[in-house]
PDB file of all heavy atoms in Angstrom:
ATOM      1  N   LEU A   1     -28.851  -6.226 -43.562  1.00 73.00           N
ATOM      2  CA  LEU A   1     -27.587  -5.577 -43.772  1.00 73.00           C
ATOM      3  C   LEU A   1     -27.847  -4.025 -43.681  1.00 73.00           C
ATOM      4  O   LEU A   1     -26.964  -3.291 -43.145  1.00 73.00           O
ATOM      5  CB  LEU A   1     -27.024  -5.834 -45.165  1.00 73.00           C
ATOM      6  CG  LEU A   1     -26.508  -7.249 -45.172  1.00 73.00           C
ATOM      7  CD1 LEU A   1     -26.117  -7.653 -46.667  1.00 73.00           C
ATOM      8  CD2 LEU A   1     -25.316  -7.552 -44.280  1.00 73.00           C
ATOM      9  N   VAL A   2     -28.933  -3.499 -44.212  1.00 70.00           N
ATOM     10  CA  VAL A   2     -29.129  -2.162 -44.107  1.00 70.00           C
ATOM     11  C   VAL A   2     -29.377  -1.692 -42.697  1.00 70.00           C
ATOM     12  O   VAL A   2     -28.858  -0.620 -42.354  1.00 70.00           O
ATOM     13  CB  VAL A   2     -30.490  -1.734 -45.037  1.00 70.00           C
ATOM     14  CG1 VAL A   2     -30.807  -0.373 -44.786  1.00 70.00           C
ATOM     15  CG2 VAL A   2     -30.169  -1.972 -46.543  1.00 70.00           C
ATOM     16  N   ALA A   3     -30.069  -2.426 -41.878  1.00 71.00           N
ATOM     17  CA  ALA A   3     -30.279  -2.103 -40.548  1.00 71.00           C
ATOM     18  C   ALA A   3     -29.018  -2.157 -39.764  1.00 71.00           C
ATOM     19  O   ALA A   3     -28.773  -1.333 -38.920  1.00 71.00           O
ATOM     20  CB  ALA A   3     -31.276  -3.107 -39.829  1.00 71.00           C
ATOM     21  N   LEU A   4     -28.104  -3.078 -39.996  1.00 67.00           N
ATOM     22  CA  LEU A   4     -26.883  -3.166 -39.313  1.00 67.00           C
ATOM     23  C   LEU A   4     -25.899  -1.995 -39.747  1.00 67.00           C
ATOM     24  O   LEU A   4     -25.333  -1.464 -38.864  1.00 67.00           O
ATOM     25  CB  LEU A   4     -26.118  -4.506 -39.632  1.00 67.00           C
ATOM     26  CG  LEU A   4     -26.637  -5.706 -38.877  1.00 67.00           C
ATOM     27  CD1 LEU A   4     -25.929  -6.940 -39.486  1.00 67.00           C
ATOM     28  CD2 LEU A   4     -26.379  -5.578 -37.434  1.00 67.00           C
ATOM     29  N   ALA A   5     -25.945  -1.621 -40.934  1.00 65.00           N
ATOM     30  CA  ALA A   5     -25.198  -0.364 -41.388  1.00 65.00           C
ATOM     31  C   ALA A   5     -25.732   0.935 -40.721  1.00 65.00           C
ATOM     32  O   ALA A   5     -25.040   1.768 -40.361  1.00 65.00           O
ATOM     33  CB  ALA A   5     -25.195  -0.338 -42.900  1.00 65.00           C
ATOM     34  N   GLY A   6     -27.039   0.883 -40.537  1.00 62.00           N
ATOM     35  CA  GLY A   6     -27.659   2.085 -40.012  1.00 62.00           C
ATOM     36  C   GLY A   6     -27.450   2.262 -38.581  1.00 62.00           C
ATOM     37  O   GLY A   6     -27.437   3.406 -37.989  1.00 62.00           O
ATOM     38  N   CYS A   7     -27.202   1.142 -37.848  1.00 63.00           N
ATOM     39  CA  CYS A   7     -26.952   1.361 -36.391  1.00 63.00           C
ATOM     40  C   CYS A   7     -25.542   1.456 -35.947  1.00 63.00           C
ATOM     41  O   CYS A   7     -25.191   1.398 -34.750  1.00 63.00           O
ATOM     42  CB  CYS A   7     -27.656   0.111 -35.568  1.00 63.00           C
ATOM     43  SG  CYS A   7     -26.786  -1.414 -35.775  1.00 63.00           S
ATOM     44  N   GLY A   8     -24.660   1.551 -36.899  1.00 58.00           N
ATOM     45  CA  GLY A   8     -23.251   1.616 -36.635  1.00 58.00           C
ATOM     46  C   GLY A   8     -22.369   0.373 -36.351  1.00 58.00           C
ATOM     47  O   GLY A   8     -21.373   0.331 -35.743  1.00 58.00           O
ATOM     48  N   ALA A   9     -22.977  -0.748 -36.877  1.00 55.00           N
ATOM     49  CA  ALA A   9     -22.261  -1.999 -36.778  1.00 55.00           C
ATOM     50  C   ALA A   9     -20.897  -1.998 -37.507  1.00 55.00           C
ATOM     51  O   ALA A   9     -19.994  -2.768 -37.136  1.00 55.00           O
ATOM     52  CB  ALA A   9     -23.121  -3.081 -37.227  1.00 55.00           C
ATOM     53  N   ASP A  10     -20.794  -1.126 -38.404  1.00 58.00           N
ATOM     54  CA  ASP A  10     -19.468  -1.073 -39.113  1.00 58.00           C
ATOM     55  C   ASP A  10     -18.646   0.170 -38.645  1.00 58.00           C
ATOM     56  O   ASP A  10     -17.961   0.859 -39.347  1.00 58.00           O
ATOM     57  CB  ASP A  10     -19.772  -0.859 -40.681  1.00 58.00           C
ATOM     58  CG  ASP A  10     -20.543   0.356 -41.014  1.00 58.00           C
ATOM     59  OD1 ASP A  10     -21.183   0.884 -40.076  1.00 58.00           O
ATOM     60  OD2 ASP A  10     -20.504   0.688 -42.176  1.00 58.00           O
ATOM     61  N   GLY A  11     -18.836   0.516 -37.399  1.00 64.00           N
ATOM     62  CA  GLY A  11     -18.220   1.688 -36.777  1.00 64.00           C
ATOM     63  C   GLY A  11     -16.732   1.550 -36.493  1.00 64.00           C
ATOM     64  O   GLY A  11     -15.999   0.799 -37.080  1.00 64.00           O
ATOM     65  N   ALA A  12     -16.269   2.378 -35.579  1.00 71.00           N
ATOM     66  CA  ALA A  12     -14.798   2.448 -35.318  1.00 71.00           C
ATOM     67  C   ALA A  12     -14.344   1.059 -34.797  1.00 71.00           C
ATOM     68  O   ALA A  12     -15.063   0.351 -34.072  1.00 71.00           O
ATOM     69  CB  ALA A  12     -14.565   3.507 -34.236  1.00 71.00           C
ATOM     70  N   PRO A  13     -13.087   0.760 -35.071  1.00 78.00           N
ATOM     71  CA  PRO A  13     -12.439  -0.481 -34.698  1.00 78.00           C
ATOM     72  C   PRO A  13     -12.193  -0.476 -33.181  1.00 78.00           C
ATOM     73  O   PRO A  13     -12.056   0.626 -32.668  1.00 78.00           O
ATOM     74  CB  PRO A  13     -11.153  -0.669 -35.519  1.00 78.00           C
ATOM     75  CG  PRO A  13     -10.960   0.713 -35.911  1.00 78.00           C
ATOM     76  CD  PRO A  13     -12.118   1.480 -36.005  1.00 78.00           C
ATOM     77  N   ILE A  14     -12.060  -1.551 -32.604  1.00 83.00           N
ATOM     78  CA  ILE A  14     -11.687  -1.696 -31.192  1.00 83.00           C
ATOM     79  C   ILE A  14     -10.193  -1.581 -31.068  1.00 83.00           C
ATOM     80  O   ILE A  14      -9.437  -2.179 -31.576  1.00 83.00           O
ATOM     81  CB  ILE A  14     -12.213  -3.016 -30.519  1.00 83.00           C
ATOM     82  CG1 ILE A  14     -13.746  -3.048 -30.504  1.00 83.00           C
ATOM     83  CG2 ILE A  14     -11.726  -3.185 -29.168  1.00 83.00           C
ATOM     84  CD1 ILE A  14     -14.413  -4.239 -30.077  1.00 83.00           C
ATOM     85  N   ARG A  15      -9.714  -0.631 -30.177  1.00 89.00           N
ATOM     86  CA  ARG A  15      -8.423  -0.388 -29.949  1.00 89.00           C
ATOM     87  C   ARG A  15      -7.931  -1.067 -28.653  1.00 89.00           C
ATOM     88  O   ARG A  15      -8.614  -0.817 -27.635  1.00 89.00           O
ATOM     89  CB  ARG A  15      -8.137   1.154 -29.807  1.00 89.00           C
ATOM     90  CG  ARG A  15      -6.716   1.601 -29.722  1.00 89.00           C
ATOM     91  CD  ARG A  15      -6.626   3.086 -29.701  1.00 89.00           C
ATOM     92  NE  ARG A  15      -7.632   3.733 -29.152  1.00 89.00           N
ATOM     93  CZ  ARG A  15      -7.638   4.510 -27.993  1.00 89.00           C
ATOM     94  NH1 ARG A  15      -6.571   4.503 -27.308  1.00 89.00           N
ATOM     95  NH2 ARG A  15      -8.699   5.087 -27.446  1.00 89.00           N
ATOM     96  N   PRO A  16      -6.932  -1.837 -28.622  1.00 92.00           N
ATOM     97  CA  PRO A  16      -6.422  -2.463 -27.457  1.00 92.00           C
ATOM     98  C   PRO A  16      -5.901  -1.522 -26.447  1.00 92.00           C
ATOM     99  O   PRO A  16      -5.277  -0.553 -26.793  1.00 92.00           O
ATOM    100  CB  PRO A  16      -5.400  -3.461 -27.877  1.00 92.00           C
ATOM    101  CG  PRO A  16      -4.927  -2.938 -29.296  1.00 92.00           C
ATOM    102  CD  PRO A  16      -6.063  -2.200 -29.816  1.00 92.00           C
ATOM    103  N   VAL A  17      -6.126  -1.807 -25.098  1.00 91.00           N
ATOM    104  CA  VAL A  17      -5.533  -0.971 -24.049  1.00 91.00           C
ATOM    105  C   VAL A  17      -4.929  -1.862 -23.034  1.00 91.00           C
ATOM    106  O   VAL A  17      -5.487  -2.967 -22.657  1.00 91.00           O
ATOM    107  CB  VAL A  17      -6.671  -0.192 -23.361  1.00 91.00           C
ATOM    108  CG1 VAL A  17      -6.287   0.628 -22.197  1.00 91.00           C
ATOM    109  CG2 VAL A  17      -7.421   0.759 -24.403  1.00 91.00           C
ATOM    110  N   ALA A  18      -3.820  -1.493 -22.539  1.00 93.00           N
ATOM    111  CA  ALA A  18      -3.209  -2.292 -21.511  1.00 93.00           C
ATOM    112  C   ALA A  18      -2.568  -1.338 -20.455  1.00 93.00           C
ATOM    113  O   ALA A  18      -1.855  -0.290 -20.831  1.00 93.00           O
ATOM    114  CB  ALA A  18      -2.031  -3.151 -22.005  1.00 93.00           C
ATOM    115  N   ASN A  19      -2.631  -1.592 -19.161  1.00 91.00           N
ATOM    116  CA  ASN A  19      -2.040  -0.760 -18.064  1.00 91.00           C
ATOM    117  C   ASN A  19      -1.324  -1.692 -17.207  1.00 91.00           C
ATOM    118  O   ASN A  19      -1.994  -2.642 -16.622  1.00 91.00           O
ATOM    119  CB  ASN A  19      -3.166   0.008 -17.294  1.00 91.00           C
ATOM    120  CG  ASN A  19      -3.877   0.983 -18.081  1.00 91.00           C
ATOM    121  OD1 ASN A  19      -3.211   1.778 -18.934  1.00 91.00           O
ATOM    122  ND2 ASN A  19      -5.171   1.114 -18.017  1.00 91.00           N
ATOM    123  N   LEU A  20      -0.050  -1.511 -17.002  1.00 92.00           N
ATOM    124  CA  LEU A  20       0.727  -2.321 -16.163  1.00 92.00           C
ATOM    125  C   LEU A  20       1.420  -1.522 -15.021  1.00 92.00           C
ATOM    126  O   LEU A  20       1.688  -0.331 -15.267  1.00 92.00           O
ATOM    127  CB  LEU A  20       1.966  -3.005 -16.936  1.00 92.00           C
ATOM    128  CG  LEU A  20       1.417  -3.776 -18.033  1.00 92.00           C
ATOM    129  CD1 LEU A  20       2.702  -4.184 -18.906  1.00 92.00           C
ATOM    130  CD2 LEU A  20       0.676  -5.033 -17.638  1.00 92.00           C
ATOM    131  N   GLY A  21       1.360  -2.028 -13.853  1.00 94.00           N
ATOM    132  CA  GLY A  21       1.898  -1.318 -12.678  1.00 94.00           C
ATOM    133  C   GLY A  21       2.816  -2.097 -11.725  1.00 94.00           C
ATOM    134  O   GLY A  21       2.620  -3.299 -11.684  1.00 94.00           O
ATOM    135  N   LEU A  22       3.803  -1.494 -11.130  1.00 94.00           N
ATOM    136  CA  LEU A  22       4.790  -2.041 -10.256  1.00 94.00           C
ATOM    137  C   LEU A  22       4.850  -1.035  -9.125  1.00 94.00           C
ATOM    138  O   LEU A  22       5.253   0.141  -9.364  1.00 94.00           O
ATOM    139  CB  LEU A  22       5.978  -2.386 -10.956  1.00 94.00           C
ATOM    140  CG  LEU A  22       7.093  -2.900 -10.016  1.00 94.00           C
ATOM    141  CD1 LEU A  22       6.664  -4.348  -9.577  1.00 94.00           C
ATOM    142  CD2 LEU A  22       8.341  -3.062 -10.833  1.00 94.00           C
ATOM    143  N   THR A  23       4.577  -1.494  -7.817  1.00 94.00           N
ATOM    144  CA  THR A  23       4.851  -0.537  -6.738  1.00 94.00           C
ATOM    145  C   THR A  23       5.737  -1.267  -5.707  1.00 94.00           C
ATOM    146  O   THR A  23       5.666  -2.429  -5.608  1.00 94.00           O
ATOM    147  CB  THR A  23       3.474  -0.164  -6.074  1.00 94.00           C
ATOM    148  OG1 THR A  23       2.755  -1.447  -5.645  1.00 94.00           O
ATOM    149  CG2 THR A  23       2.595   0.644  -7.076  1.00 94.00           C
ATOM    150  N   VAL A  24       6.335  -0.374  -4.943  1.00 94.00           N
ATOM    151  CA  VAL A  24       7.200  -0.924  -3.805  1.00 94.00           C
ATOM    152  C   VAL A  24       6.749  -0.207  -2.556  1.00 94.00           C
ATOM    153  O   VAL A  24       6.656   1.046  -2.496  1.00 94.00           O
ATOM    154  CB  VAL A  24       8.712  -0.612  -4.167  1.00 94.00           C
ATOM    155  CG1 VAL A  24       9.628  -1.122  -2.926  1.00 94.00           C
ATOM    156  CG2 VAL A  24       9.190  -1.222  -5.439  1.00 94.00           C
ATOM    157  N   ASN A  25       6.547  -0.931  -1.565  1.00 90.00           N
ATOM    158  CA  ASN A  25       5.999  -0.341  -0.322  1.00 90.00           C
ATOM    159  C   ASN A  25       7.185   0.011   0.634  1.00 90.00           C
ATOM    160  O   ASN A  25       8.385  -0.299   0.298  1.00 90.00           O
ATOM    161  CB  ASN A  25       4.997  -1.250   0.438  1.00 90.00           C
ATOM    162  CG  ASN A  25       5.466  -2.412   1.002  1.00 90.00           C
ATOM    163  OD1 ASN A  25       6.655  -2.774   0.941  1.00 90.00           O
ATOM    164  ND2 ASN A  25       4.511  -3.383   1.376  1.00 90.00           N
ATOM    165  N   GLN A  26       6.956   0.511   1.823  1.00 90.00           N
ATOM    166  CA  GLN A  26       8.034   0.816   2.748  1.00 90.00           C
ATOM    167  C   GLN A  26       8.788  -0.368   3.296  1.00 90.00           C
ATOM    168  O   GLN A  26      10.077  -0.180   3.636  1.00 90.00           O
ATOM    169  CB  GLN A  26       7.446   1.594   3.963  1.00 90.00           C
ATOM    170  CG  GLN A  26       6.834   2.953   3.567  1.00 90.00           C
ATOM    171  CD  GLN A  26       6.075   3.585   4.737  1.00 90.00           C
ATOM    172  OE1 GLN A  26       5.931   2.993   5.825  1.00 90.00           O
ATOM    173  NE2 GLN A  26       5.677   4.843   4.545  1.00 90.00           N
ATOM    174  N   ASN A  27       8.261  -1.520   3.308  1.00 90.00           N
ATOM    175  CA  ASN A  27       8.910  -2.725   3.714  1.00 90.00           C
ATOM    176  C   ASN A  27       9.712  -3.406   2.530  1.00 90.00           C
ATOM    177  O   ASN A  27      10.389  -4.390   2.709  1.00 90.00           O
ATOM    178  CB  ASN A  27       8.020  -3.786   4.229  1.00 90.00           C
ATOM    179  CG  ASN A  27       7.222  -3.258   5.469  1.00 90.00           C
ATOM    180  OD1 ASN A  27       7.817  -2.549   6.242  1.00 90.00           O
ATOM    181  ND2 ASN A  27       6.014  -3.686   5.643  1.00 90.00           N
ATOM    182  N   GLY A  28       9.789  -2.817   1.389  1.00 90.00           N
ATOM    183  CA  GLY A  28      10.422  -3.399   0.187  1.00 90.00           C
ATOM    184  C   GLY A  28       9.737  -4.369  -0.469  1.00 90.00           C
ATOM    185  O   GLY A  28      10.294  -5.077  -1.443  1.00 90.00           O
ATOM    186  N   GLN A  29       8.465  -4.589  -0.207  1.00 94.00           N
ATOM    187  CA  GLN A  29       7.689  -5.665  -0.950  1.00 94.00           C
ATOM    188  C   GLN A  29       7.269  -5.120  -2.233  1.00 94.00           C
ATOM    189  O   GLN A  29       6.859  -3.928  -2.312  1.00 94.00           O
ATOM    190  CB  GLN A  29       6.561  -6.110  -0.077  1.00 94.00           C
ATOM    191  CG  GLN A  29       6.952  -6.726   1.175  1.00 94.00           C
ATOM    192  CD  GLN A  29       5.747  -7.123   2.036  1.00 94.00           C
ATOM    193  OE1 GLN A  29       4.688  -6.404   2.022  1.00 94.00           O
ATOM    194  NE2 GLN A  29       5.777  -8.149   2.871  1.00 94.00           N
ATOM    195  N   LEU A  30       7.203  -5.963  -3.318  1.00 94.00           N
ATOM    196  CA  LEU A  30       6.637  -5.547  -4.598  1.00 94.00           C
ATOM    197  C   LEU A  30       5.306  -5.944  -4.809  1.00 94.00           C
ATOM    198  O   LEU A  30       4.882  -7.126  -4.430  1.00 94.00           O
ATOM    199  CB  LEU A  30       7.553  -6.090  -5.629  1.00 94.00           C
ATOM    200  CG  LEU A  30       9.042  -5.768  -5.744  1.00 94.00           C
ATOM    201  CD1 LEU A  30       9.837  -6.506  -6.748  1.00 94.00           C
ATOM    202  CD2 LEU A  30       9.207  -4.259  -6.053  1.00 94.00           C
ATOM    203  N   ALA A  31       4.494  -5.095  -5.474  1.00 93.00           N
ATOM    204  CA  ALA A  31       3.094  -5.398  -5.842  1.00 93.00           C
ATOM    205  C   ALA A  31       2.973  -5.034  -7.309  1.00 93.00           C
ATOM    206  O   ALA A  31       3.375  -4.017  -7.677  1.00 93.00           O
ATOM    207  CB  ALA A  31       2.163  -4.656  -4.913  1.00 93.00           C
ATOM    208  N   THR A  32       2.339  -6.050  -7.968  1.00 93.00           N
ATOM    209  CA  THR A  32       2.174  -5.675  -9.380  1.00 93.00           C
ATOM    210  C   THR A  32       0.656  -5.771  -9.767  1.00 93.00           C
ATOM    211  O   THR A  32      -0.154  -6.322  -8.991  1.00 93.00           O
ATOM    212  CB  THR A  32       2.880  -6.920 -10.268  1.00 93.00           C
ATOM    213  OG1 THR A  32       2.111  -8.149 -10.012  1.00 93.00           O
ATOM    214  CG2 THR A  32       4.305  -6.935 -10.222  1.00 93.00           C
ATOM    215  N   SER A  33       0.387  -4.924 -10.842  1.00 93.00           N
ATOM    216  CA  SER A  33      -0.944  -4.990 -11.269  1.00 93.00           C
ATOM    217  C   SER A  33      -1.051  -4.876 -12.905  1.00 93.00           C
ATOM    218  O   SER A  33      -0.108  -4.420 -13.422  1.00 93.00           O
ATOM    219  CB  SER A  33      -1.763  -3.799 -10.728  1.00 93.00           C
ATOM    220  OG  SER A  33      -1.195  -2.643 -11.085  1.00 93.00           O
ATOM    221  N   CYS A  34      -2.196  -5.327 -13.316  1.00 93.00           N
ATOM    222  CA  CYS A  34      -2.306  -5.310 -14.798  1.00 93.00           C
ATOM    223  C   CYS A  34      -3.800  -5.243 -15.150  1.00 93.00           C
ATOM    224  O   CYS A  34      -4.654  -5.751 -14.440  1.00 93.00           O
ATOM    225  CB  CYS A  34      -1.574  -6.385 -15.551  1.00 93.00           C
ATOM    226  SG  CYS A  34      -2.373  -7.889 -15.675  1.00 93.00           S
ATOM    227  N   ASN A  35      -4.040  -4.603 -16.309  1.00 91.00           N
ATOM    228  CA  ASN A  35      -5.356  -4.359 -16.788  1.00 91.00           C
ATOM    229  C   ASN A  35      -5.352  -4.255 -18.238  1.00 91.00           C
ATOM    230  O   ASN A  35      -4.582  -3.553 -18.795  1.00 91.00           O
ATOM    231  CB  ASN A  35      -6.033  -2.978 -16.156  1.00 91.00           C
ATOM    232  CG  ASN A  35      -7.380  -2.898 -16.297  1.00 91.00           C
ATOM    233  OD1 ASN A  35      -8.087  -3.762 -16.906  1.00 91.00           O
ATOM    234  ND2 ASN A  35      -7.935  -1.787 -15.900  1.00 91.00           N
ATOM    235  N   VAL A  36      -6.079  -5.213 -18.830  1.00 93.00           N
ATOM    236  CA  VAL A  36      -6.108  -5.264 -20.296  1.00 93.00           C
ATOM    237  C   VAL A  36      -7.536  -5.056 -20.706  1.00 93.00           C
ATOM    238  O   VAL A  36      -8.453  -5.547 -20.122  1.00 93.00           O
ATOM    239  CB  VAL A  36      -5.354  -6.481 -20.829  1.00 93.00           C
ATOM    240  CG1 VAL A  36      -3.960  -6.586 -20.526  1.00 93.00           C
ATOM    241  CG2 VAL A  36      -6.121  -7.800 -20.306  1.00 93.00           C
ATOM    242  N   GLY A  37      -7.706  -4.722 -21.997  1.00 93.00           N
ATOM    243  CA  GLY A  37      -9.052  -4.666 -22.627  1.00 93.00           C
ATOM    244  C   GLY A  37      -9.103  -3.971 -23.924  1.00 93.00           C
ATOM    245  O   GLY A  37      -8.090  -3.923 -24.641  1.00 93.00           O
ATOM    246  N   GLY A  38     -10.151  -3.305 -24.273  1.00 91.00           N
ATOM    247  CA  GLY A  38     -10.339  -2.742 -25.460  1.00 91.00           C
ATOM    248  C   GLY A  38     -11.297  -1.562 -25.406  1.00 91.00           C
ATOM    249  O   GLY A  38     -12.222  -1.576 -24.548  1.00 91.00           O
ATOM    250  N   THR A  39     -11.209  -0.603 -26.299  1.00 89.00           N
ATOM    251  CA  THR A  39     -12.131   0.568 -26.268  1.00 89.00           C
ATOM    252  C   THR A  39     -12.328   0.909 -27.825  1.00 89.00           C
ATOM    253  O   THR A  39     -11.459   0.842 -28.647  1.00 89.00           O
ATOM    254  CB  THR A  39     -11.616   1.745 -25.542  1.00 89.00           C
ATOM    255  OG1 THR A  39     -12.625   2.712 -25.589  1.00 89.00           O
ATOM    256  CG2 THR A  39     -10.237   2.253 -26.038  1.00 89.00           C
ATOM    257  N   ASN A  40     -13.478   1.434 -28.135  1.00 84.00           N
ATOM    258  CA  ASN A  40     -13.832   2.098 -29.404  1.00 84.00           C
ATOM    259  C   ASN A  40     -14.082   3.593 -29.229  1.00 84.00           C
ATOM    260  O   ASN A  40     -14.649   4.228 -30.209  1.00 84.00           O
ATOM    261  CB  ASN A  40     -14.788   1.293 -30.183  1.00 84.00           C
ATOM    262  CG  ASN A  40     -16.283   1.499 -29.560  1.00 84.00           C
ATOM    263  OD1 ASN A  40     -16.379   2.035 -28.420  1.00 84.00           O
ATOM    264  ND2 ASN A  40     -17.251   0.984 -30.271  1.00 84.00           N
ATOM    265  N   GLY A  41     -13.743   4.240 -28.079  1.00 80.00           N
ATOM    266  CA  GLY A  41     -14.112   5.549 -27.826  1.00 80.00           C
ATOM    267  C   GLY A  41     -15.355   5.753 -27.027  1.00 80.00           C
ATOM    268  O   GLY A  41     -15.477   6.587 -26.115  1.00 80.00           O
ATOM    269  N   THR A  42     -16.352   4.973 -27.309  1.00 83.00           N
ATOM    270  CA  THR A  42     -17.776   5.070 -26.602  1.00 83.00           C
ATOM    271  C   THR A  42     -17.733   3.990 -25.546  1.00 83.00           C
ATOM    272  O   THR A  42     -18.219   4.406 -24.326  1.00 83.00           O
ATOM    273  CB  THR A  42     -18.832   4.979 -27.550  1.00 83.00           C
ATOM    274  OG1 THR A  42     -18.618   5.817 -28.596  1.00 83.00           O
ATOM    275  CG2 THR A  42     -20.139   5.163 -26.889  1.00 83.00           C
TER     276      THR A  42
END
């Protein structure tokens, strides 16, 4: 437990991240994209 506390195991919580995209090209076709995940800063 002391070793885990010393290495930062109780560090910052993981923050959820989501990126959603919608694009329309010259022919009127739609393209979607999405990206989900998490980050703790590092």
Side-chain angles (χ1 to χ4, degrees):
L1 289 174
V2 168
L4 284 175
C7 74
D10 60 344
I14 295 177
R15 184 173 36 109
V17 177
N19 295 317
L20 304 174
L22 178 67
T23 57
V24 180
N25 68 9
Q26 294 175 347
N27 296 329
Q29 296 175 331
L30 295 174
T32 60
S33 63
C34 79
N35 192 0
V36 294
T39 182
N40 69 355
T42 305

